[in-house]
Amino acid sequence: MSEMLTSPLQDLQREYRGWRVAIVHDWLVTQGGAEKVLDALLQAFPQAEVYTLVDAMPDEQRGRLKEHAVHTSLVQSLPFACRHYRYYLPVMPYAIEQFDLRDFDLVISSSHAVAKGVPTHPGQFHLCYCHTPVRYAWDMKEAYLRDAGFPAPLEWLVRGVLKRLRQWDHFASSQVDHFVANSRNVAARIHKYYGRQADVIHPPVDLQAFPFAEDREGDYYLAASRLVAYKRLDLIIEAFSAAPERRLKVVGDGPERKRLERLAAGHDNIELLGYQPAGELRVLMSQARAFVFAADEDFGILPLEAQACGTPVVAFGHGGALETVRPYGEAAPTGMFFETQQADSLNATLNTFETLHFLPQDCRDQAQRFGAEVFYRRLFECLQARMTRGIGCNE
């Protein structure tokens, strides 16, 4: 985030300067969209202490975390937890409930898993910034089990664990005083699974970190994300494998990397670049013909960061992308959607995309609608409106 204080940020810092604030984040392992929101929250509340299940964030990615006390749970001390923390999912609800936050006035959970379940007490206000309800326990349960390929006896056990997690998650949601969702997409799922209303405050785009580039000099398309199955980088690679006249660069690392390298093998038009420093990613974004995004994402900050550079987006037309990309056919379009998560659908859309013209300034203007100043203003307004109804209102 920029070090220049915006007026809404100053309002937040001044209004809550005397408050004791705890921010609860599921786990600190690598920088992603949820961690960018955490960084913004830490700037708004410089006095905050951080509570997390596991802290294995590399020093070079810690950023503002270095300025805050970070408390970890019992999971931190379990064998291999820093690398294989997800295997401890069955104990995470118990671990999050062991945090004692009674000395804090304001508790903000940054939750895509169990952080929302942290206990609070009368006289405290618990605001949950929900990145998503637990997807592998709710709407992605069957896909998760299919991709994991558990043998039958173990699958039955895992189904039982996920059932208990859903029950616990629904109860935990009832203890939150107010929900904020990172998108209308997530707000709808919060209502479906938890029966709760949520304000929508989109994650902030660091506009200064992604400078605008008027001219596109590259002849390649760019895809970037953590290399995990649901991001569907395999679909993108399959599409470009069938269209050797198009160049693709893929940035990111993760458990899917070896499989994706095998898919790309023998296709000279596809480059897997692995993890790239933020500065190099910005250069790649600013010069690409378009940013390609195939995930059904809760929100997805990367398409907005590409648009901040002036780069149009070709995205799967579901989930958060529908809120961040203005499709061709609307005023000042910033990209296009493909209809199905299939290589043929993506290639057909790219064929049309290459016959059209998108203005870099329109892309930049779209990203500015999601800037940090908007995030801090909405957060300040939300807290002011909810606080006036009384601490611990549990709407």
Side-chain angles (χ1 to χ4, degrees):
M1 302 300 299
S2 169
E3 294 299 324
M4 182 180 296
L5 295 181
T6 64
S7 178
L9 177 55
Q10 288 178 323
D11 289 341
L12 273 168
Q13 292 177 335
R14 181 174 55 251
E15 182 73 15
Y16 298 100
R17 180 173 51 202
W19 287 58
R20 295 164 297 178
V21 180
I23 300 178
V24 187
H25 192 75
D26 289 300
W27 46 75
L28 295 167
V29 176
T30 188
Q31 276 291 342
E35 287 68 38
K36 292 175 181 178
V37 172
L38 173 63
D39 187 76
L41 292 172
L42 293 176
Q43 188 168 13
F45 304 100
Q47 77 278 29
E49 297 184 32
V50 177
Y51 289 78
T52 188
L53 292 170
V54 174
D55 182 5
M57 186 72 74
D59 287 343
E60 65 273 14
Q61 296 183 32
R62 296 192 73 81
R64 200 165 274 107
L65 277 171
K66 296 176 181 178
E67 305 165 11
H68 295 260
V70 178
H71 309 273
T72 58
S73 76
L74 60 88
V75 178
Q76 183 83 20
S77 61
L78 297 177
F80 311 109
C82 289
R83 175 170 292 186
H84 300 295
Y85 56 93
R86 293 181 188 273
Y87 289 111
Y88 291 108
L89 178 65
V91 303
M92 286 181 180
Y94 174 79
I96 206 74
E97 290 178 347
Q98 303 316 300
F99 285 134
D100 183 358
L101 305 184
R102 71 184 70 184
D103 292 334
F104 296 94
D105 305 306
L106 173 62
V107 176
I108 301 176
S109 56
S110 167
S111 182
H112 55 80
V114 300
K116 75 176 75 64
V118 68
T120 54
H121 303 273
Q124 296 178 304
F125 189 84
H126 179 184
L127 179 77
C128 176
Y129 189 101
C130 186
H131 305 282
T132 178
V134 191
R135 298 199 75 172
Y136 37 86
W138 295 100
D139 52 312
M140 286 184 67
K141 174 175 64 70
E142 294 303 325
Y144 166 73
L145 291 169
R146 182 184 64 247
D147 292 343
F150 296 117
L154 182 56
E155 180 180 330
W156 300 334
L157 175 62
V158 173
R159 284 185 180 276
V161 170
L162 294 180
K163 179 180 179 180
R164 289 193 294 273
L165 178 60
R166 285 194 302 276
Q167 293 169 337
W168 176 88
D169 192 48
H170 189 274
F171 170 77
S173 72
S174 71
Q175 306 305 296
V176 172
D177 290 310
H178 187 68
F179 275 96
V180 168
N182 68 357
S183 63
R184 295 190 299 273
N185 174 38
V186 167
R189 299 216 310 278
I190 289 171
H191 185 261
K192 179 178 178 64
Y193 299 130
Y194 302 153
R196 301 290 302 276
Q197 299 297 320
D199 291 333
V200 176
I201 303 178
H202 294 112
V205 179
D206 189 346
L207 295 165
Q208 292 195 5
F210 292 87
F212 175 62
E214 182 71 38
D215 299 320
R216 309 259 84 76
E217 297 180 359
D219 63 347
Y220 59 87
Y221 292 87
L222 179 69
S225 76
R226 179 162 168 75
L227 304 186
V228 293
Y230 86 93
K231 298 290 188 178
R232 297 308 313 271
L233 275 301
D234 57 339
L235 182 159
I236 299 174
I237 289 174
E238 181 184 350
F240 279 80
S241 298
E245 70 280 5
R246 296 187 178 113
R247 292 182 60 207
L248 172 69
K249 295 178 184 286
V250 179
V251 172
D253 206 348
E256 285 275 286
R257 182 169 180 174
K258 289 185 178 179
R259 185 174 80 90
L260 296 177
E261 287 175 341
R262 290 194 296 269
L263 289 175
H267 299 283
D268 295 338
N269 61 317
I270 301 173
E271 296 179 80
L272 271 67
L273 304 178
Y275 169 79
Q276 295 294 312
E280 182 60 28
L281 177 59
R282 288 194 292 268
V283 172
L284 290 166
M285 275 185 172
S286 66
Q287 297 305 311
R289 296 182 68 175
F291 185 80
V292 184
F293 191 72
D296 183 356
E297 191 65 273
D298 304 306
F299 177 69
I301 196 72
L302 281 164
L304 277 171
E305 292 173 344
Q307 289 173 82
C309 296
T311 301
V313 176
V314 177
F316 177 47
H318 285 257
L322 296 175
E323 301 177 42
T324 60
V325 179
R326 197 157 45 227
Y328 191 82
E330 296 186 7
T334 65
M336 295 187 68
F337 296 128
F338 58 98
E339 294 183 359
T340 62
Q341 283 183 311
Q342 296 178 333
D344 289 347
S345 180
L346 172 55
N347 270 331
T349 302
L350 288 172
N351 289 339
T352 303
F353 172 84
E354 290 172 352
T355 68
L356 304 174
H357 182 63
F358 296 84
L359 296 178
Q361 188 61 57
D362 290 341
C363 296
R364 179 70 176 186
D365 291 345
Q366 174 72 349
Q368 287 176 331
R369 297 179 54 239
F370 298 83
E373 184 167 353
V374 177
F375 173 84
Y376 288 125
R377 175 171 52 80
R378 293 294 311 280
L379 180 60
F380 181 73
E381 291 171 351
C382 175
L383 286 171
Q384 290 287 287
R386 304 302 163 184
M387 291 297 186
T388 58
R389 303 183 187 184
I391 298 295
C393 58
N394 195 237
E395 296 177 341

